[in-house]
């Protein structure tokens, strides 16, 4: 029963984060991408800090690791990642964006092994990276009617994947002293500041161009409270129960929910190129993590050793 509940929570998280791509597509109809992302994290930051104050769990960064983790991950994982992702979804559907983000579990260990002296870049890692980027080429599937738009969109979402993976390498050896919730609050606060700076620095990203329609407000609320706070809290609870290997598969279940939500709500088609690219990226993930996956599968499948007889 415990395993069944864990599986249910895993699928719930995939559904929440999968439908977040559809919600982003809805909000982008009326909102410029960077102001949209900035407001999303403004709301999430305020809610998280309010919860910390109410529960007496408010902490501030104290150690060097705290500051490195909060500043690097906040600026890149929250700020730059969502600026690129929301901008990219102006040109490609949420389903395509979700599939492309499946590169994160492929490129993160590859970058870590290149940067860390104690991790070797293996043949499996190389095969995984090649297959992953072959999936990108398949998804690109140039459309003469929208060649420039699709290329820009895919490039921006790839930048979003890299700006999520790179901080994982930089913060590889850091151990924040704050609680998870406090760390997330500071991360989101830093990310929100970066996004507001980007609003003023980038052309065409003015709050004056935002039209706060009921659908835009609903999309922002969903992304802030449900997909943002609720999703992250559920994710880290599951991470403690399942471990990083099993949780990596979330990136390959999310696109299924993203495609289904986009089709049901927005009528977005799912092309053969997207399906083929998804298969390549999944194969790349399996190749890159083959040793760890095989060990994890053996742990799950093999019966526990019987206790010695009396």
């Amino acid at each position: 029963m415990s395993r069944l509940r864990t599986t249910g929570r895993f699928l719930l998280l995939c559904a929440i984060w999968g439908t977040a791509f559809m919600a982003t597509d809805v909000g982008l109809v009326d909102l410029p991408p960077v102001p949209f992302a900035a407001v999303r994290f403004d709301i999430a930051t305020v809610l998280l800090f309010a919860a910390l104050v109410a529960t007496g769990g408010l902490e501030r960064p104290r150690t060097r690791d705290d500051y490195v983790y909060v500043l690097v991950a906040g600026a890149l994982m929250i700020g730059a990642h969502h600026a690129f992702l929301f901008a990219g979804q102006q040109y490609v559907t949420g389903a395509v964006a979700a599939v492309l983000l499946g590169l994160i579990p492929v490129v993160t260990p590859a970058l870590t092994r290149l940067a860390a002296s104690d991790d070797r870049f293996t043949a499996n890692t190389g095969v995984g990276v090649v297959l992953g980027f072959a999936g990108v080429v398949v998804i690109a599937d140039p459309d003469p009617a929208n060649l420039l738009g699709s290329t820009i969109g895919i490039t921006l979402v790839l930048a979003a994947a890299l700006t999520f993976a790179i901080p994982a390498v930089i913060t590889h050896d850091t151990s924040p002293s704050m609680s998870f919730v406090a760390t997330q609050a500071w991360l989101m606060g830093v990310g929100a500041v970066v996004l507001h700076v980007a609003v003023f620095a980038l052309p065409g990203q003015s709050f004056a161009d935002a039209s706060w329609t009921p659908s835009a407000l609903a999309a922002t609320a969903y992304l802030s409270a449900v997909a943002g706070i609720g999703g992250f809290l559920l994710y880290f609870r599951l991470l403690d129960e399942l471990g990083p290997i099993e949780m990596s598969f979330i990136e390959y279940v999310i696109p299924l929910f993203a495609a289904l939500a986009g089709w049901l709500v927005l009528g977005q088609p799912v092309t053969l190129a997207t399906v083929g690219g998804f298969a390549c990226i999944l194969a790349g993930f399996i190749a890159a993590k083959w040793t760890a996956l095989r060990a994890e599968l053996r742990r799950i499948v093999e019966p526990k050793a019987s206790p010695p007889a009396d």
Side-chain angles (χ1 to χ4, degrees):
M1 185 61 70
S2 176
R3 187 70 183 182
L4 186 61
R5 284 197 299 268
T6 300
T7 302
R9 291 197 298 270
F10 180 91
L11 292 175
L12 174 62
L13 178 59
C14 292
I16 289 172
W17 279 357
T19 52
F21 287 92
M22 178 272 295
T24 302
D25 285 341
V26 169
L28 287 171
V29 173
D30 301 301
L31 304 172
V34 182
F36 182 18
V39 172
R40 170 193 174 176
F41 285 103
D42 288 343
I43 296 171
T45 300
V46 169
L47 291 175
L48 271 180
F49 274 110
L52 287 168
V53 171
T55 58
L58 183 62
E59 299 176 79
R60 65 173 184 81
R62 295 183 302 276
T63 67
R64 180 182 179 278
D65 280 2
D66 287 343
Y67 282 103
V68 170
Y69 192 89
V70 164
L71 292 175
V72 172
L76 295 178
M77 281 186 173
I78 301 296
H81 170 74
H82 286 90
F84 284 127
L85 178 60
F86 279 38
Q89 280 191 241
Q90 293 179 110
Y91 304 98
V92 300
T93 66
V96 170
V99 169
L100 289 172
L101 291 186
L103 282 172
I104 292 172
V106 177
V107 299
T108 300
L111 291 172
T112 302
R113 284 168 181 159
L114 286 173
S117 59
D118 57 340
D119 285 325
R120 293 185 302 109
F121 190 93
T122 65
N124 283 356
T125 306
V127 170
V129 172
V130 170
L131 285 172
F133 280 96
V136 175
V137 174
V138 171
I139 291 171
D141 188 30
D143 177 6
N146 187 32
L147 182 60
L148 180 61
S150 61
T151 302
I152 291 173
I154 288 170
T155 301
L156 287 168
V157 177
L158 283 179
L162 288 174
T163 51
F164 196 93
I166 289 171
V169 177
I170 297 174
T171 61
H172 181 58
D173 296 320
T174 60
S175 300
S177 65
M178 297 182 292
S179 70
F180 162 69
V181 177
T183 302
Q184 290 300 308
W186 286 102
L187 282 181
M188 291 185 182
V190 170
V193 170
V194 169
L195 287 164
H196 277 280
V197 171
V199 169
F200 292 103
L202 298 175
Q205 298 299 318
S206 171
F207 282 103
D209 295 329
S211 178
W212 292 101
T213 62
S215 59
L217 290 170
T220 305
Y222 182 79
L223 290 170
S224 301
V226 181
I229 296 175
F232 273 108
L233 294 177
L234 184 55
Y235 172 82
F236 279 92
R237 181 175 179 182
L238 284 167
L239 185 63
D240 286 339
E241 296 180 26
L242 297 176
I245 300 300
E246 287 189 67
M247 279 306 294
S248 296
F249 276 101
I250 194 171
E251 297 292 349
Y252 306 99
V253 182
I254 286 173
L256 306 180
F257 285 96
L260 181 61
W263 175 64
L264 288 174
V265 179
L266 303 176
Q268 296 172 340
V270 179
T271 67
L272 286 176
T274 302
V275 174
F278 173 82
C280 285
I281 293 172
L282 176 58
F285 166 77
I286 292 172
K289 296 204 170 187
W290 174 246
T291 301
L293 287 170
R294 185 173 56 185
E296 185 71 12
L297 185 62
R298 187 180 297 118
R299 183 187 68 80
I300 294 171
V301 173
E302 286 182 354
K304 294 181 180 179
S306 301
D310 291 335

